[in-house]
Amino acid sequence: EHQRILQSVTDRTVTAVRNQGGLLPAEVAGKGVLVTGWNGTFDNIGTLAARLAERGARTTALPTGQPSDAVIAQAVAAAASHDLVVVQTNQALADPAARQLRLVRALAATGKPVVLVAVRDPYELAHLTEVPAQLATFSTVPAAMAALAKVITGEVSPRGRLPVAVPAAGSPSTVLYPYGHGLSW
């Protein structure tokens, strides 16, 4: 019963920040989906890949952590054989080498549809505006990854709202996404 309640609450927390071009919700059944990016204690990359596979996707889980140039190249090569890329970041702005940001930019440059998911703070979303589909989960626990899979596929509409204002990159006094911002479909 506790797990059911946890999932019910968590299903309402995913925040859709940007959906330019209507990429989301995405039909994943029968499609190749690369799930990559920062991976935490709860194996958020593997968990999301498994939840998308339950919905008919052919998934590849490629955790990158703070990726090296070789790992970024590996992710870009993997993206070539997939129909959709879901890349997760965690406090990407704290890394002086900007490795997670470089990973996301390299994946966006492939021309494949990319969904960016900030799994902790949403601030890095303002630095990656070249990615048209952006979500925030604020957590990496399995329930958050299950909710994320439901939002990506349209099984549930995103209902989360930003708990902070997100300033534009390079202009802290300009608000890009205001407090309470959130999209739905």
Side-chain angles (χ1 to χ4, degrees):
E1 179 66 12
H2 290 110
Q3 291 298 317
R4 187 188 65 72
I5 293 169
L6 169 67
Q7 193 61 63
S8 173
V9 169
T10 307
D11 283 350
R12 297 187 305 261
T13 64
V14 176
T15 303
V17 177
R18 190 168 192 221
N19 192 24
Q20 194 172 36
L23 176 61
L24 297 173
E27 176 58 52
V28 300
K31 304 274 177 76
V33 180
L34 173 63
V35 180
T36 191
W38 185 88
N39 199 44
T41 306
F42 297 105
D43 185 24
N44 45 293
I45 297 297
T47 301
L48 178 59
R51 298 298 79 79
L52 292 171
E54 289 170 356
R55 289 157 176 82
R58 295 182 319 275
T59 61
T60 301
L62 179 61
T64 63
Q66 296 287 11
S68 65
D69 289 342
V71 171
I72 291 171
Q74 180 185 11
V76 166
S81 62
H82 291 81
D83 302 299
L84 177 68
V85 176
V86 180
V87 58
Q88 298 185 27
T89 58
N90 183 344
Q91 294 189 305
L93 301 179
D95 176 18
R99 291 171 287 191
Q100 291 182 65
L101 298 178
R102 288 188 359 244
L103 169 67
V104 175
R105 287 187 179 115
L107 290 167
T110 67
K112 293 290 183 171
V114 174
V115 177
L116 171 59
V117 183
V119 296
R120 183 169 173 183
D121 304 326
Y123 300 109
E124 58 250 41
L125 299 177
H127 294 262
L128 295 162
T129 56
E130 61 267 49
V131 181
Q134 299 182 345
L135 305 170
T137 61
F138 309 103
S139 176
T140 60
V141 299
M145 295 301 105
L148 178 58
K150 292 176 189 178
V151 166
I152 288 171
T153 61
E155 187 176 324
V156 300
S157 294
R159 293 174 43 194
R161 300 288 179 249
L162 286 176
V164 296
V166 176
S171 181
S173 62
T174 303
V175 174
L176 181 61
Y177 302 118
Y179 170 84
H181 173 78
L183 307 173
S184 193
W185 44 80

